[in-house]
């Protein structure tokens, strides 16, 4: 196990009557990706701002690479990069000139800034577009450029605050590939996101934040194991969904959810077998078109931990970047 490079203990932060952080604890291993999940208002961005020395906690302490983010903020800033929710590039400059400008702001020499800009453009697939005005870039290209501006000083720790919000699937995939490449070079990434599939693909560890606290942390597999396997049932007659939900609830003590006519329910490990489900449905005169056992998704883990679905279930971007709603509801049994 690598030692922790990011440590937060008992962080509190208030904004007037709003208690944004309520004793947040977090530990992130060096050379890993930690995904921080939570709904809007959970405290994710506030925590990132404190860790990145942009804000100070009212209570508690945090360190980056052993340096206190309040007392040793200058040392912390030498070791971190930050990419926020919106691209911070100048759209009137070329991609190359943006990087050179940021390099100078990071106190690189003119020569070092030029060399580093050329290196990063080549590495992240923007060399051919480097001399184009940034205003002509696609959303994904602008986000990639914003990402690599934070890499000019080769940070030990990179904070990414919802870096793919609003991007189409192809652009999101490009950002994911960039993040994987960074981690392969030893950079530690703390990634806040509302997209649970993003955390599942990228994160070595996941911290679930709700109401200003980390309510669970572990690998994706560890978090999924906390709620057991899931059984999915599709009935031949959709009108029998409520009846089937009542049967499943009686067998497990849980509350089924339904999406697009498919019932889903957690099965306590070793207590209920798939054959038991099929047999009980048959005994009640219900015919299943499909019955399957699977590992739970992070959406289901999130719902179990927080009591409500993640926003990403309701506002997942389609290929044009617009938002599409999906419905998921608990069945009244």
């Amino acid at each position: 196990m690598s030692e922790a490079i990011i440590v937060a203990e008992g962080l509190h932060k208030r904004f007037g009557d709003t208690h944004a952080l309520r004793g947040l604890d977090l530990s992130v291993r060096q050379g890993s990706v930690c995904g921080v999940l939570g709904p809007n208002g959970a405290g994710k961005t506030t925590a990132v701002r404190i860790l990145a020395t942009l804000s100070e906690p009212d209570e508690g302490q945090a360190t980056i690479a052993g340096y206190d983010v309040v007392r040793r903020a200058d040392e912390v800033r030498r070791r971190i990069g930050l990419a926020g929710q919106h691209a911070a590039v100048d759209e009137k400059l070329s991609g190359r000139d943006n990087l050179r400008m940021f390099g100078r702001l990071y106190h690189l020499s003119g020569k070092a800034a030029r060399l580093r800009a050329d290196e990063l453009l080549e590495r992240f697939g923007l060399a051919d577009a480097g001399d184009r005005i940034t205003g002509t870039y696609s959303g994904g290209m602008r986000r990639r450029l914003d990402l690599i501006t934070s890499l000019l000083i080769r940070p030990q720790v990179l904070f990414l605050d919802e870096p793919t919000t609003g991007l189409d699937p192809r652009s999101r995939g490009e950002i994911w590939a960039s993040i994987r490449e960074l981690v392969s070079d030893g950079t530690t990434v703390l990634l806040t996101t509302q997209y649970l599939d993003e955390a599942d693909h990228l994160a070595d560890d996941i911290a679930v934040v709700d109401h200003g606290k980390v309510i669970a942390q572990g690998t994706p597999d560890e978090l999924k194991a906390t709620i057991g396997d899931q059984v999915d049932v599709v009935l031949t007659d959709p009108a029998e969904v409520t009846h089937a939900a009542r049967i499943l609830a009686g067998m497990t003590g849980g509350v089924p959810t339904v999406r697009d006519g498919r019932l889903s329910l957690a099965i306590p490990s070793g207590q209920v077998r798939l054959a038991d489900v099929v047999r009980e449905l048959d005994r009640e005169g219900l015919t299943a078109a499909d019955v399957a056992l699977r590992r739970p998704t992070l959406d289901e883990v999130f719902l179990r931990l927080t009591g409500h679905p993640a926003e990403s279930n309701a506002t997942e971007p389609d290929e044009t970047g617009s938002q599409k709603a999906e419905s998921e509801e608990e069945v009244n049994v």
Side-chain angles (χ1 to χ4, degrees), residues 208-280:
V208 181
V209 178
D210 200 26
H211 299 296
K213 299 180 70 172
V214 173
I215 60 174
Q217 184 170 1
T219 68
D221 283 344
E222 287 171 344
L223 292 180
K224 292 173 184 177
T226 63
I227 68 172
D229 290 330
Q230 301 284 300
V231 62
D232 289 343
V233 177
V234 178
L235 297 175
T236 302
D237 182 0
E240 299 287 357
V241 164
T242 300
H243 186 189
R246 188 176 298 112
I247 294 168
L248 294 178
M251 293 179 67
T252 66
V255 179
T257 60
V258 62
R259 178 188 290 180
D260 299 328
R262 180 182 297 270
L263 282 169
S264 297
L265 183 67
I267 294 183
S269 179
Q271 295 183 24
V272 178
R273 298 175 302 168
L274 197 60
D276 298 329
V277 173
V278 174
R279 187 179 301 110
E280 190 64 19

Side-chain angles (χ1 to χ4, degrees), residues 310-333:
E311 270 77 358
S312 57
N313 285 339
T315 57
E316 184 71 7
D318 61 21
E319 294 188 1
T320 66
S322 63
Q323 305 297 307
K324 294 193 301 183
E326 289 184 322
S327 63
E328 179 172 356
E329 57 187 11
E330 290 190 352
V331 179
N332 293 321
V333 296

